[in-house]
């Protein structure tokens, strides 16, 4: 029994060492040869935020009219970019690390996890910028910030589940990468990232359907998580969530259940096929 436990501990320690080295290597390679280096982790969402804010908030008037909306927009873009980056890099992780997987024996899932953790580090840097903006915008933080770890765990679970599932599919079908790019665009505009949810709820042309559509949008785990993070960090008074819009808690918990079901599906599919990766690649 002691020998078995010792082997498990050694394997766990070895996996952690490999994961740590892969994360460090991926992060260094990401900005290798770049003059600004890691600064791009901050500049990229800021540049996108500036474009989105000028086009959508100023010209197209897609704003909830509150002073905190710019910070809400920046936070939404930062969290969405994490999801997009984690799934895009995780999708290609197994194929991109194919040579390493053939040479060194370690659990294949580690390459996918390391890709998503790299995106998580970028998100952490972006969140520091968001908090600085929030302080200068005189955002009044509440006790709800204590709920943020749960929100980010759900967001990471969602991204990891999708990455594991698509990484497996990408080994067999390279078209998955192109298909996911299209689906990402569809998802991006189908949820309230660059436009406030109130614009859907209070849309006169939609009449009573506006509130129903808003509730359906928030049943999407990505939309639910982003809105929860905005609500808990920046503006609990102006950012509705599935918990405040849907009266039935059994319905409100659906997106959370879907996120963990996606992770379970991703783990199951990945474990079922990972032994054949070397043969297929």
């Amino acid at each position: 029994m002691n020998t078995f436990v010792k082997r498990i501990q050694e394997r766990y320690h070895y996996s952690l060492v490999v994961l740590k080295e892969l994360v460090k290597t991926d992060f260094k390679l990401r900005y290798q040869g770049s003059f600004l280096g890691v600064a791009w982790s901050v500049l990229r969402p800021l540049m996108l935020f500036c474009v989105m804010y000028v086009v959508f908030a100023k010209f197209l008037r897609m704003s909830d009219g509150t002073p905190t909306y710019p910070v809400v927009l920046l936070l939404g873009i930062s969290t969405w970019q994490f999801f997009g980056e984690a799934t895009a890099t995780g999708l290609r992780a197994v194929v991109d690390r194919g040579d390493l997987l053939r040479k060194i024996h370690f659990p294949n899932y580690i390459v996918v996890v390391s890709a998503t953790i790299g995106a998580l580090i970028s998100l952490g840097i972006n969140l520091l910028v968001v908090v600085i903006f929030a302080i200068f915008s005189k955002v009044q933080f509440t006790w709800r910030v204590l709920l943020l770890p749960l929100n980010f765990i759900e967001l990471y679970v969602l991204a990891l589940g999708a990455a594991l599932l698509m990484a497996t599919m990408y080994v067999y079908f390279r078209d998955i990468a192109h298909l996911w790019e299209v689906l990402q665009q569809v998802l991006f505009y189908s949820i309230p990232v660059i436009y406030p949810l109130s614009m859907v709820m209070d849309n006169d042309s939609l009449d009573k359907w506006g509130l129903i559509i808003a509730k359906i949008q928030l049943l999407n785990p990505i939309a639910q998580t982003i809105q929860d993070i905005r609500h808990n960090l920046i503006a609990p008074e102006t950012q509705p969530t599935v918990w405040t819009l849907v009266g039935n808690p059994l319905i409100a918990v659906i997106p959370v259940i879907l996120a963990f079901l996606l992770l379970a599906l991703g783990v199951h599919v990945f474990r079922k096929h990972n032994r054949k990766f070397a043969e297929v690649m």
Side-chain angles (χ1 to χ4, degrees), residues 39-244:
W40 279 112
S41 294
V42 176
L43 289 176
R44 188 169 57 179
L46 279 179
M47 292 168 67
L48 182 60
F49 158 73
C50 291
V51 173
M52 294 292 186
Y53 184 69
V54 171
V55 173
F56 291 97
K58 291 299 183 182
F59 289 142
L60 299 181
R61 303 295 180 183
M62 290 186 179
S63 171
D64 59 8
T66 63
T68 58
Y69 182 72
V71 188
V72 167
L73 178 60
L74 179 59
L75 181 57
I77 291 173
S78 298
T79 47
W80 171 261
Q81 280 209 327
F82 158 74
F83 181 78
E85 182 182 345
T87 52
T89 55
L91 181 152
R92 294 180 170 85
V94 174
V95 173
D96 290 348
R97 293 286 189 180
D99 292 339
L100 183 64
L101 291 174
R102 294 188 193 97
K103 294 176 182 177
I104 305 174
H105 179 69
F106 61 88
N108 293 344
Y109 68 85
I110 288 180
V111 296
V112 182
V113 174
S114 69
T116 57
I117 289 179
L120 195 62
I121 293 172
S122 296
L123 175 62
I125 297 172
N126 292 335
L127 285 177
L128 289 176
V129 177
V130 171
V131 170
I132 292 172
F133 267 79
I135 292 172
F136 279 102
S137 300
K138 298 181 179 179
V139 169
Q140 299 296 318
F141 300 106
T142 68
W143 64 267
R144 291 177 179 84
V145 297
L146 298 176
L147 300 174
L148 287 173
L150 297 176
N151 301 145
F152 286 113
I153 288 173
E154 183 186 351
L155 180 64
Y156 182 73
V157 163
L158 191 61
L160 180 59
L164 286 169
L165 183 61
M166 290 190 293
T168 306
M169 298 169 68
Y170 187 67
V171 172
Y172 297 92
F173 310 104
R174 298 295 194 271
D175 292 338
I176 291 297
H178 304 292
L179 181 61
W180 180 237
E181 287 180 6
V182 176
L183 288 176
Q184 270 189 298
Q185 293 300 312
V186 174
L187 280 172
F188 181 70
Y189 290 106
S190 67
I191 62 177
V193 176
I194 58 174
Y195 57 87
L197 192 64
S198 58
M199 196 181 80
V200 179
M201 297 167 54
D202 303 330
N203 195 316
D204 294 335
S205 62
L206 295 175
D207 196 23
K208 64 180 180 179
W209 289 99
L211 182 59
I212 296 174
I213 293 172
K215 291 179 180 180
I216 293 173
Q217 283 182 307
L218 289 180
L219 290 179
N220 181 328
I222 308 171
Q224 171 260 318
T225 309
I226 291 176
Q227 277 299 111
D228 279 5
I229 292 172
R230 286 167 155 176
H231 176 90
N232 293 330
L233 180 60
I234 304 297
E237 294 83 9
T238 61
Q239 292 302 306
T241 68
V242 69
W243 313 101
T244 58

Side-chain angles (χ1 to χ4, degrees), residues 3 16 19-21 31-33 46 86 107 139 154 175 218 252 266 278:
T3 304
L16 282 180
L19 177 61
K20 181 180 177 181
E21 291 303 316
Y31 303 105
Q32 190 175 30
L46 279 179
V139 169
E154 183 186 351
D175 292 338
L218 289 180

